[in-house]
Amino acid sequence: MNRSEKKKTYVITGIFLLVSLIVFAVLVFWTQHRDLQETFSQAQETVSFLEAECEKFDNYNQGNSARAMQDILDSAIGLKTFVPAQKIQDCDFLKEYIHAEHVSGVLVLDASFSRIAQADMDDKDSYSIWKDTLKKSGIQNITEYPEKTYVDQAVIDDIPYDFAIVSSADGKRIFVCYSSGLKPSTDPYEYTINNVLEKNSFYKNPIAMIADETQIYSSNDETWKNIGKEKYAWLNSEVDWKDHGFSVFSYENKKMYGLRRVYGDYLVYVLYPEKEVFADRRNLIAGGFMLYLVCCMVILLIRWYSDKNNLHKLEKQLRIIDSISTTYDSTFLVHMDKKEIEPLKPSDRLSVIFKEHPQTEDFLFTVCANEVDPVYRLVTKKFLEPYTIGERLNGHPYLEMEVKDINDAWYSVIEIPQRYDANGKLQEVIVTTKDVTTIKHAEELSFKDKLTGLYNRNYMESKYKEIVSGKNYPVSVIMADCNYLKRTNDTLGHEYGDLLLQRVAISIKETVPQNCTPIRVGGDEFVILCAKYSGEQAQELIEKIRQKLVQNSDDILQISVSFGVQTIEDDGLSFEQAYQLADQKMYKDKVDSKANRT
């Protein structure tokens, strides 16, 4: 090697080393920035999750309270309406009644609010518990308005109670039903703010906490949950919490990256130890540098192996085609320039058709006419149109559609671009078909409610976006809830409770038109999604369903359903919001119907 060549080698080596150092520095900076950005993005998602958990907990508490007060009112009305007068004074009977109704106690008074009979689950003196509360002016005049009901909450001797007071029609009897809000602290099924984050884990193992200004309610890390008030006060007030980025602080000689947000009455925290934030840095730097070296090697070798690489690409295309051919039922190669179809691996049925109709348009016409279900023929013909495949595939890695054949089997048809010319024009497209009948049937089964035959919640969560969309506005959301299902189960048995639900479902199915989708969302609740249905039309449909419910009732089962409806006119109201509003209206209808019956 002469001096000139050595100098050239040294220069190239020096440039390579300099570029390598620059690349290494850029990798260090980039990976650190990337890790911080990725972790911050994950922290924001985790905070959103914590806020959603707080909202879910608040909604859970509100829903439980409303249902508990409705149940206690049902018990009071039942005592007034269904219990004979001679049994009202029987304390032993009242004892059995509170056990059957799952309430804490009852109290029966005369018009002057003197005690007639009482029963308490813990054998307490019911009259002594409630005599002060009964002096309220709103309660004292209840006998003057027998149709009125009084439902409220009270705290007596540090015990929270839900209670309901009703009067007999003649005003001679006053009925008080109450239920304690206390629940066993060891109840493993009780949903409290303290166990919201138990056993929750997140990407990069952050410490997640829900707290207020003075204490931590819940955390996925027991050590942090029990750090004590002094340390928490320091964390809450001394750390400089930022609104648009991580707050960096040191806790017990460990560097932490934290995010705090205020949500209602809650403070939610997401804290990352430094080692978790930059856990991928070393691997990313090493991987990036190795990639850089590989790229350098590729650049040096690309000219020497260009012909070999071209051959490798051809072989790869052949392997892809062969792989697709062995995976799918039928595989065809469409030559765009010649508008010809080449069968690579046709099914037996399509092979026979191709032999008799080898011309492209004749083959496609025959397949659509003889093999495809009539409902899908036009859309299938457009999907397979060879003159427009290039335009339709522009910007897409593939196109796919599902079609049903004349034997009720389902197939997935996929168009995959295979080869382009030097100008980027599509030259060849692979068209494959695969039998997905089993998958479609399994999907249909997962969407059905076994008891009623209606669609279930899985179906609603998967399909509501298709129903509640601009092309279907206005969309009316109708909520329905069976009345007295619990009483039916308790008095007649669960067999009649199931029959009640089935009759409600039948009444809905027999009434709703084709563009309405009835769904059993769980328990005794139903929802009907009505596409292109105004609020007035929804109210008319509800009246028709009520008439059908009367027709399907008998002497044993008197079917009663409460309804609520909310109409979505445009994108300004989401489906979730409409669902909640319809649910609230339905519960108001339930309360109003109970009050009217009294």
Side-chain angles (χ1 to χ4, degrees):
M1 182 183 295
N2 57 36
R3 183 178 297 179
S4 176
E5 290 176 342
K6 286 183 179 181
K7 185 177 180 179
K8 184 178 180 180
T9 301
Y10 292 151
V11 170
I12 292 175
T13 303
I15 294 174
F16 175 76
L17 291 175
L18 179 61
V19 171
S20 299
L21 288 174
I22 295 173
V23 169
F24 184 78
V26 170
L27 279 174
V28 171
F29 175 80
W30 175 79
T31 53
Q32 182 166 327
H33 178 74
R34 174 192 173 279
D35 280 346
L36 275 174
Q37 290 297 318
E38 181 185 49
T39 307
F40 184 71
S41 176
Q42 291 295 328
Q44 289 179 310
E45 292 182 11
T46 305
V47 164
S48 298
F49 171 80
L50 297 182
E51 291 175 345
E53 288 297 300
C54 292
E55 181 180 11
K56 183 171 70 174
F57 176 74
D58 286 345
N59 291 339
Y60 169 83
N61 273 348
Q62 294 172 6
N64 271 1
S65 178
R67 284 173 172 79
M69 296 183 73
Q70 181 61 50
D71 289 342
I72 203 71
L73 177 60
D74 288 347
S75 298
I77 293 174
L79 186 64
K80 159 189 170 180
T81 307
F82 300 107
V83 178
Q86 62 272 20
K87 288 192 175 183
I88 290 297
Q89 303 180 27
D90 186 348
C91 292
D92 291 335
F93 171 79
L94 293 181
K95 192 75 172 180
E96 295 176 0
Y97 184 83
I98 64 175
H99 280 280
E101 289 292 315
H102 305 292
V103 297
S104 297
V106 297
L107 180 61
V108 183
L109 308 172
D110 61 19
S112 61
F113 284 82
S114 297
R115 176 173 49 198
I116 297 175
Q118 65 180 19
D120 186 89
M121 192 72 72
D122 298 323
D123 295 323
K124 295 179 180 179
D125 184 351
S126 302
Y127 186 74
S128 297
I129 295 173
W130 292 97
K131 65 179 181 178
D132 292 334
T133 304
L134 295 173
K135 294 178 182 178
K136 292 183 179 180
S137 59
I139 300 175
Q140 287 290 314
N141 63 2
I142 195 168
T143 56
E144 299 174 15
Y145 306 97
E147 72 280 0
K148 187 172 74 169
T149 60
Y150 192 97
V151 185
D152 204 350
Q153 296 175 320
V155 178
I156 303 174
D157 296 332
D158 296 327
I159 299 176
Y161 290 96
D162 297 325
F163 68 95
I165 304 175
V166 298
S167 172
S168 61
D170 57 9
K172 295 181 179 180
R173 296 285 188 274
I174 299 169
F175 306 91
V176 182
C177 282
Y178 58 92
S179 181
S180 169
L182 291 178
K183 294 186 178 180
S185 60
T186 57
D187 185 357
Y189 302 103
E190 177 64 7
Y191 181 54
T192 69
I193 191 66
N194 296 320
N195 58 28
V196 164
L197 295 180
E198 283 186 0
K199 300 180 181 178
N200 268 308
S201 60
F202 306 93
Y203 178 64
K204 290 199 171 183
N205 303 314
I207 296 105
M209 297 186 294
I210 298 174
D212 62 12
E213 293 290 345
T214 60
Q215 62 179 324
I216 298 173
Y217 292 123
S218 183
S219 175
N220 63 342
D221 187 298
E222 284 297 322
T223 302
W224 278 83
K225 185 177 180 182
N226 301 308
I227 62 174
K229 291 186 177 180
E230 291 184 5
K231 290 184 178 180
Y232 174 65
W234 173 86
L235 177 71
N236 183 33
S237 59
E238 298 299 326
V239 175
D240 181 19
W241 294 106
K242 299 179 181 178
D243 294 330
H244 303 290
F246 273 130
S247 298
V248 184
F249 60 94
S250 180
Y251 178 79
E252 294 186 348
N253 299 321
K254 293 181 181 178
K255 194 173 183 179
M256 305 292 292
Y257 289 75
L259 191 64
R260 184 185 74 172
R261 292 290 182 267
V262 179
Y263 181 77
D265 295 331
Y266 301 103
L267 295 173
V268 293
Y269 295 85
V270 180
L271 310 178
Y272 294 87
E274 183 181 27
K275 66 176 183 179
E276 295 292 346
V277 175
F278 302 110
D280 299 330
R281 179 166 57 184
R282 182 180 299 175
N283 291 336
L284 285 172
I285 292 174
F289 200 72
M290 288 298 296
L291 181 61
Y292 162 73
L293 294 177
V294 170
C295 290
C296 291
M297 293 297 296
V298 170
I299 292 172
L300 292 174
L301 297 174
I302 193 168
R303 288 186 61 187
W304 298 342
Y305 293 97
S306 58
D307 293 339
K308 186 175 182 179
N309 287 341
N310 289 334
L311 179 60
H312 177 70
K313 289 180 180 179
L314 293 175
E315 291 174 349
K316 184 178 179 181
Q317 288 178 346
L318 293 174
R319 286 197 300 270
I320 291 173
I321 293 174
D322 184 61
S323 176
I324 292 175
S325 299
T326 57
T327 303
Y328 290 84
D329 299 311
S330 294
T331 306
F332 292 83
L333 184 63
V334 179
H335 299 276
M336 304 297 297
D337 51 348
K338 298 180 287 188
K339 298 297 185 294
E340 293 181 355
I341 294 181
E342 177 186 349
L344 301 179
K345 184 200 169 187
S347 65
D348 294 340
R349 292 162 61 187
L350 295 183
S351 180
V352 171
I353 295 175
F354 189 80
K355 288 179 181 179
E356 297 176 355
H357 305 274
Q359 298 300 318
T360 301
E361 293 186 2
D362 190 22
F363 171 71
L364 293 177
F365 176 82
T366 305
V367 169
C368 291
N370 297 343
E371 300 297 325
V372 177
D373 185 284
V375 175
Y376 293 89
R377 283 175 185 169
L378 181 59
V379 67
T380 303
K381 184 177 180 182
K382 290 183 178 179
F383 185 77
L384 296 176
E385 172 58 61
Y387 297 99
T388 62
I389 287 180
E391 181 180 350
R392 288 185 286 110
L393 274 170
N394 185 29
H396 299 281
Y398 65 91
L399 295 176
E400 182 179 10
M401 70 167 291
E402 291 182 347
V403 60
K404 186 167 68 171
D405 71 2
I406 56 175
N407 298 317
D408 291 330
W410 284 90
Y411 287 88
S412 172
V413 184
I414 305 175
E415 296 174 344
I416 308 170
Q418 177 61 23
R419 185 174 63 83
Y420 294 85
D421 63 14
N423 298 319
K425 185 177 180 180
L426 187 61
Q427 296 295 300
E428 294 177 352
V429 176
I430 291 178
V431 179
T432 68
T433 65
K434 186 175 183 179
D435 191 328
V436 293
T437 305
T438 303
I439 297 174
K440 292 289 287 186
H441 287 171
E443 182 181 272
E444 291 175 0
L445 290 175
S446 71
F447 286 160
K448 289 290 186 178
D449 175 56
K450 292 183 179 179
L451 179 64
T452 62
L454 299 179
Y455 288 117
N456 59 19
R457 180 179 287 274
N458 288 340
Y459 179 86
M460 182 181 74
E461 293 176 351
S462 299
K463 302 293 185 181
Y464 80 85
K465 290 183 179 178
E466 298 178 16
I467 300 173
V468 184
S469 59
K471 65 180 181 181
N472 290 328
Y473 288 152
V475 178
S476 289
V477 180
I478 301 175
M479 292 294 300
D481 186 274
C482 299
N483 297 325
Y484 301 117
L485 175 62
K486 178 179 178 297
R487 182 177 299 163
T488 302
N489 286 329
D490 291 342
T491 57
L492 300 177
H494 287 277
E495 192 174 291
Y496 278 91
D498 291 346
L499 181 60
L500 174 65
L501 292 172
Q502 289 171 338
R503 289 191 182 181
V504 170
I506 290 171
S507 301
I508 294 174
K509 283 193 290 187
E510 291 177 346
T511 307
V512 299
Q514 188 174 3
N515 58 328
C516 294
T517 306
I519 302 167
R520 183 190 178 197
V521 293
D524 55 358
E525 291 187 354
F526 299 81
V527 64
I528 307 171
L529 303 181
C530 301
K532 298 181 180 179
Y533 233 63
S534 67
E536 292 78 7
Q537 290 175 304
Q539 292 293 345
E540 293 175 1
L541 177 59
I542 288 173
E543 292 306 315
K544 292 180 181 179
I545 295 174
R546 290 187 192 276
Q547 295 173 11
K548 182 63 70 173
L549 291 170
V550 173
Q551 296 175 13
N552 289 334
S553 298
D554 54 34
D555 294 338
I556 298 177
L557 285 179
Q558 294 292 323
I559 308 174
S560 173
V561 175
S562 297
F563 291 93
V565 61
Q566 180 64 45
T567 302
I568 305 173
E569 302 286 351
D570 51 42
D571 293 335
L573 183 66
S574 69
F575 170 72
E576 292 79 4
Q577 292 170 328
Y579 186 99
Q580 291 179 359
L581 291 171
D583 188 60
Q584 293 170 7
K585 293 177 181 179
M586 180 267 291
Y587 274 104
K588 184 178 183 302
D589 181 46
K590 180 183 286 286
V591 173
D592 291 344
S593 63
K594 299 279 185 181
N596 291 335
R597 282 194 288 274
T598 62

